[in-house]
């Protein structure tokens, strides 16, 4: 897609700091570096996000994540890693070409704060919701 910034990076028309590449996937440093080594892993084929990918395309992308994450962890001596994927504006997606954020973690002051607002569990509501959502395999 010519107006997609990540397609431009994949095509080499816009420079990027590559950390991994193969025939299907490219991984490069996010320009904002929320934590040191913050990396984006993208499929070379354009998809808007996971919500429009099928199992085959997403499997190829996700299959690469462990080895890239493990390399980053080893080389940066990270203590952990958050792996995040935003789909659509409501979920914080700003670039509409599927990408997985790999965020190496070092300590509580490393630049990233993720906080889930938890609620008291309502088991009746959970059971009802699961029943409404269940679709088998
Ligand atoms: P999103 O908010 O869509 O999940 O994440 C998009 C990410 O792409 C942001 O973290 C942003 O910093 C990164 N980004 C946007 N434009 C560029 C670019 O031209 N080069 C690189 N390396 N990262 C970019
Ligand atoms: Zn694209």
């Amino acid at each position: 897609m010519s107006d997609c910034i990540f397609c431009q990076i994949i095509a080499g028309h816009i420079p990027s700091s590559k950390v991994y590449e193969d025939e299907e996937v490219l991984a490069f440093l996010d320009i904002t570096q929320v934590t040191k080594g913050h990396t984006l892993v993208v499929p070379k084929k354009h998809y808007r996000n996971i919500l429009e990918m099928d199992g085959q395309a997403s499997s190829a992308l996700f299959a690469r994540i462990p080895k890239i994450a493990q390399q980053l962890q080893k080389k940066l001596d990270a203590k952990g890693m958050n792996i995040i994927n935003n789909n659509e504006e409501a979920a914080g997606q700003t670039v509409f070409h599927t990408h997985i954020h790999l965020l190496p973690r070092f300590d509580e002051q490393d630049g990233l704060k993720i906080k889930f607002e938890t609620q008291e569990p309502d088991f009746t509501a959970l059971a009802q919701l699961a029943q409404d959502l269940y679709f088998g395999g």
Side-chain angles (χ1 to χ4, degrees), residues 5-6 9 28-32 40 86 92-95 99 101:
I5 192 145
F6 288 175
I9 285 174
F28 54 94
L29 296 179
D30 190 306
I31 37 171
T32 58
L40 301 173
N86 301 324
Q93 186 176 9
T94 58
V95 176
H99 53 280
H101 292 262

Side-chain angles (χ1 to χ4, degrees), residues 78-108:
K79 302 289 172 278
M81 191 165 309
N82 289 104
I83 298 179
I84 298 175
N85 162 245
N86 301 324
N87 297 277
E88 297 298 335
E89 245 172 79
Q93 186 176 9
T94 58
V95 176
F96 293 91
H97 178 127
T98 301
H99 53 280
I100 312 294
H101 292 262
L102 303 186
L103 291 140
R105 300 305 305 270
F106 302 94
D107 57 47
E108 283 175 11

Side-chain angles (χ1 to χ4, degrees), residues 10-31:
I10 291 158
H13 299 152
I14 293 177
S16 70
S17 306
K18 290 181 194 178
V19 298
Y20 173 81
E21 182 168 22
D22 64 30
E23 68 287 352
E24 292 196 59
V25 158
L26 177 67
F28 54 94
L29 296 179
D30 190 306
I31 37 171

Side-chain angles (χ1 to χ4, degrees), residues 9-132:
I9 285 174
I10 291 158
H13 299 152
I14 293 177
S16 70
S17 306
K18 290 181 194 178
V19 298
Y20 173 81
E21 182 168 22
D22 64 30
E23 68 287 352
E24 292 196 59
V25 158
L26 177 67
F28 54 94
L29 296 179
D30 190 306
I31 37 171
T32 58
Q33 290 294 284
V34 171
T35 62
K36 184 180 178 190
H38 179 186
T39 295
L40 301 173
V41 186
V42 305
K44 287 192 170 173
K45 187 166 175 213
H46 180 92
Y47 297 95
R48 179 177 171 86
N49 56 44
I50 301 279
L51 299 176
E52 75 161 31
M53 293 173 80
D54 62 17
Q56 205 179 350
S58 56
S59 296
L61 174 62
F62 281 105
R64 269 72 171 189
I65 299 296
K67 70 176 170 188
I68 302 170
Q70 288 156 15
Q71 281 294 314
L72 290 176
Q73 183 190 16
K74 208 166 101 190
K75 291 189 173 171
L76 294 165
D77 195 22
K79 302 289 172 278
M81 191 165 309
N82 289 104
I83 298 179
I84 298 175
N85 162 245
N86 301 324
N87 297 277
E88 297 298 335
E89 245 172 79
Q93 186 176 9
T94 58
V95 176
F96 293 91
H97 178 127
T98 301
H99 53 280
I100 312 294
H101 292 262
L102 303 186
L103 291 140
R105 300 305 305 270
F106 302 94
D107 57 47
E108 283 175 11
Q109 271 76 51
D110 63 10
L112 178 60
K113 290 212 187 320
I114 298 174
K115 185 166 177 353
F116 285 18
E117 297 296 340
T118 55
Q119 298 171 30
E120 281 301 306
D122 174 342
F123 295 107
T124 310
L126 285 176
Q128 181 61 56
L129 182 59
Q131 197 178 321
D132 294 345

